[in-house]
Amino acid sequence: MRKFLLSEGEIPKKWLNILPLLPEPLEPPLDPETMEPVKPEKLLAIFPEPLVEQEVSDKEWIDIPEEVLDIYSLWRPTPLHRAKNLEEFLGTPAKIFYKNESVSPPGSHKPNTAVAQAYYNKISGVKRLTTETGAGQWGSALSFATQFFDLQCRVYMVRVSYNQKPYRRILMETWKGEVIPSPSPYTNAGRKYYEENPEHPGSLGIAISEAIEEAASREDTKYSLGSVLNHVLLHQTVIGLEAKKQMEEAGYYPDVIIGAVGGGSNFAGLSFPFLADVLRGDKRKEDLKVLAVEPEACPTLTKGEYKYDFGDSVGLTPLIKMYTLGHDFVPSPIHAGGLRYHGDAPLVCKLYNLGYIDAVAYKQTEVFEAAVTFARTEGIVPAPESAHAIKAAIDEALKCKETGEEKVILFNLSGHGYFDLSAYDKYLHGELTD
Amino acid sequence: MRKFLLSEGEIPKKWLNILPLLPEPLEPPLDPETMEPVKPEKLLAIFPEPLVEQEVSDKEWIDIPEEVLDIYSLWRPTPLHRAKNLEEFLGTPAKIFYKNESVSPPGSHKPNTAVAQAYYNKISGVKRLTTETGAGQWGSALSFATQFFDLQCRVYMVRVSYNQKPYRRILMETWKGEVIPSPSPYTNAGRKYYEENPEHPGSLGIAISEAIEEAASREDTKYSLGSVLNHVLLHQTVIGLEAKKQMEEAGYYPDVIIGAVGGGSNFAGLSFPFLADVLRGDKRKEDLKVLAVEPEACPTLTKGEYKYDFGDSVGLTPLIKMYTLGHDFVPSPIHAGGLRYHGDAPLVCKLYNLGYIDAVAYKQTEVFEAAVTFARTEGIVPAPESAHAIKAAIDEALKCKETGEEKVILFNLSGHGYFDLSAYDKYLHGELTD
């Protein structure tokens, strides 16, 4: 068997909230002006109440609303694959499984939270959502999601990507998203750059500022974030909850769970439901290795410092306790754009700090080598972000080849690479550098 | 329920050969020099024996080899979806189902035959396959397939597409395909154009000539075709055989079956297993409507003549009895490149001629309107080719809205549109013409 499928009726009915399972409480976000914990009212200016509640909920299980399950069922449950061709190619005794989140219409795990966020905003009376996007992955997921709930979606897209990478912009527009090149003349944050230079290339930092400013200044508009926050990671646990059932069906429990970490949401989505077994004290699971994979160009966990820092690069957000390279850190322009974040989700950082999670960093060229190996054995062309997890899975499998161990490895294929083919072109023609 | 899934064990074990079920025999291809039926030896110069046998087989069921089933299982069985959101949007009492062939790694139904052809060439001792490709759909499917059987794959790609549409070229190369811009200096057919102008834009006709010439002139090399021929349609019946099981699971038998027709392979793949019920004389099925959809820019069935014509535009192939617009017909450059063929598969033409199949033609803009409606209700962005089937399904459903009939409509979503987004861009910004 190559694929383990669940029926629509087996989509999990609840998300798993790992917060109450933590061995010690998560440090709260701080208001940079007062250095006191941020008051919920401040968050309510840009997020709807149900999401602010989820952000600090102490309930272990949170019901997935029917309306969200209904949209999930357009593509969920996603398949779990046994990577038999890859195993054979490597000549490893290890068993390699991957959860295939690339089958969603936007092509990644991102809609798992986008749909939930769109729903909670809708029932809170919100009419419009704003967000920012770099290459367009998150923006396309949110455009996809909002159309099902008759919400308007405005995406501030970094202008250099808007001009150079039109495909995800078109995808957003096909799904009714309104895409604004940033910096724009529509916000104070954007206007000063725009007026200096209407062709200003922009940055993710400026785009975030524009999206938040608009949400904070309009009664009918809220802001939406695609990673890092607790409620985002919560929604992604649908990945790991499905994977647990599917691994059971396959007859295995993983020894190693692997995910790429940018903000941490696909990694947490797959791993938290398994980590919960460990946190609940299941002795049989305590050898579980959970491995976060990051690019050497942005080695947040492996080289960052665990401290309070701004969540954005401009200094608009609350201070968050996390591993960080400094909010002014500018990673080199690697093709795995989704992994170029100076920090990581506080929940992931806490569990890393407590020793429940390991981390490893790889160079871009070795990641693409793994990506091409995967495409040539399993057939699917992975997103550069997901290829980080593939590289680590291959390395774990090769260790087993040396030791003879028949470990069970599970990784998250968070998305496909159809919109990243120019990076493959560079790799295949020897033009990719580290 | 939105999706009807089958397990891997339910992939059909046999293809359905409709040839022996025809009410009258298919006219054989003729040698244009002698006007006599083509001798098998001639075909064996460019195709391996098992495929030449399948081309004229009188067996109703043909075993799918284990090795082919194994590769199919990377993505098959494909899901059958109930288009509930689309039904609701249209306000129709009709029930709309679609078979989702877009989930294959190359993104279309094409690998169903590419994998089979690669396998039969491999066991026949062939080392290399050649083919031609326009925008790259077939070339990427064949590159994908050949890598699993250690066959080399050389794809002659029309130079204007090679230069302007790099993404499918990169996809082919990622899957180890060797992509040659055509006209090339490597064949007699290409050299004369190439030497006149090394940047000659090329045409599908020249690319076909190059691929066939190379296959005919090398002992270790055969040629591969992605549509039109009987054996190609045979391999595609895996689509309809799965869909039949899934429709049973859903509790329905279709009243209307719809597919876009370029060469005819995705249309035949879905419809032949249902048409077989009619041909076998099942009285309960005789009202089945099977609808072929084509672009008005290339109205082969609706406006063509049923006669012998060349299969290619240059006049290299045998003469084939089919509906044709004339082998020198040049359709306008619509975005559904896969439907720009002057003829159609002889099997489809025969059944159309005998009245078992209906046909309808649509304009490009109305097709894209349907495509965007689909993307905004069902979420998936369809290939422009597949959008022709969607347009017809919507029209059938709207007829039901008028009459109140609760018809069951099944269409083939033959591929996704991620590589066709520039056409969506034109449509969304009012720049698409008919």
Side-chain angles (χ1 to χ4, degrees), chain A residues 2-3 8 70 73 76 105 147-148 167 169-170 173-176 375-377 379 418 421 425 429, chain B residues 2-3 8 70 73 76 105 147-148 167 169-170 173-176 375-377 379 418 421 425 429:
Chain A
R2 289 186 187 273
K3 297 191 306 303
E8 237 167 82
D70 184 47
S73 74
R76 302 206 71 87
Q147 66 180 350
F148 297 114
Y167 292 101
R169 189 258 303 157
I170 303 166
E173 291 177 345
T174 301
W175 287 323
K176 294 199 217 174
R376 290 180 176 177
T377 51
Y418 290 144
L421 287 173
D425 201 25
H429 294 93
Chain B
R2 289 186 187 273
K3 298 191 305 304
E8 237 167 82
D70 184 47
S73 75
R76 301 206 73 87
Q147 65 179 350
F148 297 114
Y167 292 101
R169 189 258 304 156
I170 303 167
E173 291 177 345
T174 301
W175 287 323
K176 294 198 217 175
R376 290 179 177 177
T377 50
Y418 290 144
L421 286 173
D425 201 24
H429 294 93

Side-chain angles (χ1 to χ4, degrees), chain A residues 33 68 72 92 103 134 173 200 219 248 281 287 306 330 336 356 367 370 388 390 427:
Chain A
E33 285 172 30
V68 173
Y72 276 180
T92 176
V103 299
E173 291 177 345
H200 191 293
E219 195 60 41
E248 260 173 50
D287 290 335
Y306 194 41
V330 179
Y356 289 91
V367 165
H388 285 73
I390 295 171
Y427 172 75

Side-chain angles (χ1 to χ4, degrees), chain B residues 225-241:
Chain B
L225 194 65
S227 191
V228 178
L229 299 179
N230 300 348
H231 69 265
V232 178
L233 274 55
L234 171 77
H235 303 151
Q236 294 293 356
T237 58
V238 67
I239 301 172
L241 292 166

Side-chain angles (χ1 to χ4, degrees), chain A residues 287-434:
Chain A
D287 290 335
L288 176 67
K289 177 173 179 177
V290 178
L291 185 57
V293 192
E294 50 188 26
E296 280 199 4
C298 195
T300 316
L301 293 173
T302 50
K303 299 217 174 132
E305 215 179 312
Y306 194 41
K307 64 176 187 185
Y308 271 103
D309 193 6
F310 290 106
D312 66 331
S313 53
V314 182
L316 278 178
T317 69
L319 291 165
I320 300 170
K321 181 78 179 285
M322 61 181 176
Y323 284 84
T324 174
L325 298 161
H327 66 275
D328 52 357
F329 176 80
V330 179
S332 65
I334 55 165
H335 290 280
L339 306 186
R340 296 175 70 243
Y341 180 59
H342 68 274
D344 275 332
L347 278 169
V348 170
C349 292
K350 170 61 83 180
L351 287 163
Y352 178 67
N353 183 253
L354 293 174
Y356 289 91
I357 293 172
D358 292 329
V360 64
Y362 287 110
K363 289 188 173 63
Q364 175 161 258
T365 50
E366 59 190 350
V367 165
F368 270 87
E369 187 188 357
V372 169
T373 296
F374 189 75
R376 290 180 176 177
T377 51
E378 295 297 312
I380 300 173
V381 178
E385 290 83 358
S386 318
H388 285 73
I390 295 171
K391 169 61 180 162
I394 289 175
D395 276 6
E396 290 290 325
L398 290 176
K399 276 186 225 162
C400 291
K401 189 176 178 177
E402 277 179 31
T403 62
E405 287 172 292
E406 298 184 15
K407 282 192 180 166
V408 176
I409 299 166
L410 168 64
F411 72 87
N412 200 2
L413 184 75
S414 55
H416 64 61
Y418 290 144
F419 295 107
D420 304 282
L421 287 173
S422 60
Y424 278 87
D425 201 25
K426 289 208 176 80
Y427 172 75
L428 291 168
H429 294 93
E431 293 159 19
L432 203 71
T433 55
D434 283 320

Side-chain angles (χ1 to χ4, degrees), chain B residues 67-317:
Chain B
E67 293 84 347
V68 173
L69 287 171
D70 184 47
I71 302 301
Y72 276 180
S73 75
L74 284 169
W75 77 95
R76 301 206 73 87
T78 63
L80 178 82
H81 298 244
R82 171 93 182 260
K84 282 168 61 179
N85 288 8
L86 179 61
E87 291 172 15
E88 203 173 301
F89 172 81
L90 298 173
T92 176
K95 292 167 186 66
I96 308 176
F97 292 85
Y98 61 97
K99 182 70 169 162
N100 185 359
E101 290 293 306
S102 78
V103 299
S104 76
S108 78
H109 66 293
K110 293 284 184 189
N112 296 330
T113 185
V115 170
Q117 292 189 43
Y119 168 77
Y120 287 116
N121 275 285
K122 178 70 178 182
I123 61 165
S124 303
V126 175
K127 307 287 182 212
R128 301 171 73 248
L129 283 179
T130 61
T131 197
E132 73 288 337
T133 202
Q137 284 182 313
W138 170 241
S140 54
L142 195 65
S143 299
F144 168 80
T146 47
Q147 65 179 350
F148 297 114
F149 298 100
D150 274 329
L151 287 173
Q152 287 179 47
C153 180
R154 175 177 272 196
V155 182
Y156 288 94
M157 184 172 189
V158 178
R159 180 174 278 105
V160 62
S161 296
Y162 182 94
N163 289 336
Q164 287 176 6
K165 298 185 173 177
Y167 292 101
R168 283 200 182 266
R169 189 258 304 156
I170 303 167
L171 201 54
M172 290 185 259
E173 291 177 345
T174 301
W175 287 323
K176 294 198 217 175
E178 183 193 9
V179 189
I180 309 281
S182 165
S184 82
Y186 307 124
T187 65
N188 293 325
R191 201 174 301 119
K192 60 180 175 186
Y193 299 101
Y194 180 82
E195 285 178 353
E196 271 172 29
N197 174 12
E199 287 305 314
H200 191 293
S203 71
L204 208 53
I206 299 171
I208 293 175
S209 309
E210 292 206 85
I212 293 181
E213 179 187 322
E214 182 176 334
S217 64
R218 285 183 60 150
E219 195 59 42
D220 63 350
T221 303
K222 298 285 183 198
Y223 170 71
S224 176
L225 194 65
S227 191
V228 178
L229 299 179
N230 300 348
H231 69 265
V232 178
L233 274 55
L234 171 77
H235 303 151
Q236 294 293 356
T237 58
V238 67
I239 301 172
L241 292 166
E242 284 180 9
K244 263 185 109 166
K245 283 194 213 177
Q246 290 164 311
M247 289 299 297
E248 259 173 52
E249 201 189 298
Y252 296 104
Y253 192 92
D255 297 301
V256 187
I257 296 176
I258 300 171
V261 173
S265 77
N266 96 73
F267 168 78
L270 179 66
S271 65
F272 280 8
F274 294 93
L275 268 173
D277 292 340
V278 181
L279 294 170
R280 288 186 198 110
D282 187 333
K283 291 280 177 207
R284 293 164 304 169
K285 310 295 161 59
E286 64 187 9
D287 290 335
L288 177 67
K289 177 173 179 177
V290 179
L291 186 57
V293 192
E294 49 188 26
E296 279 199 4
C298 195
T300 316
L301 293 172
T302 50
K303 299 217 174 133
E305 214 180 313
Y306 194 41
K307 64 176 187 185
Y308 271 103
D309 193 6
F310 290 105
D312 65 331
S313 53
V314 182
L316 277 178
T317 69

Side-chain angles (χ1 to χ4, degrees), chain A residues 21-81:
Chain A
L21 296 174
L22 293 181
E24 55 179 61
L26 205 61
E27 288 82 355
L30 301 182
D31 187 322
E33 285 172 30
T34 63
M35 293 307 275
E36 294 291 317
V38 175
K39 299 216 174 81
E41 305 89 82
K42 272 215 156 175
L43 295 175
L44 290 170
I46 56 169
F47 297 115
E49 199 169 330
L51 294 178
V52 173
E53 278 171 15
Q54 288 181 357
E55 193 63 19
V56 295
S57 170
D58 57 4
K59 280 198 271 182
E60 191 175 326
W61 294 100
I62 294 180
D63 287 336
I64 306 179
E66 277 300 327
E67 293 84 348
V68 173
L69 287 171
D70 184 47
I71 301 301
Y72 276 180
S73 74
L74 284 169
W75 76 96
R76 302 206 71 87
T78 63
L80 178 83
H81 298 244

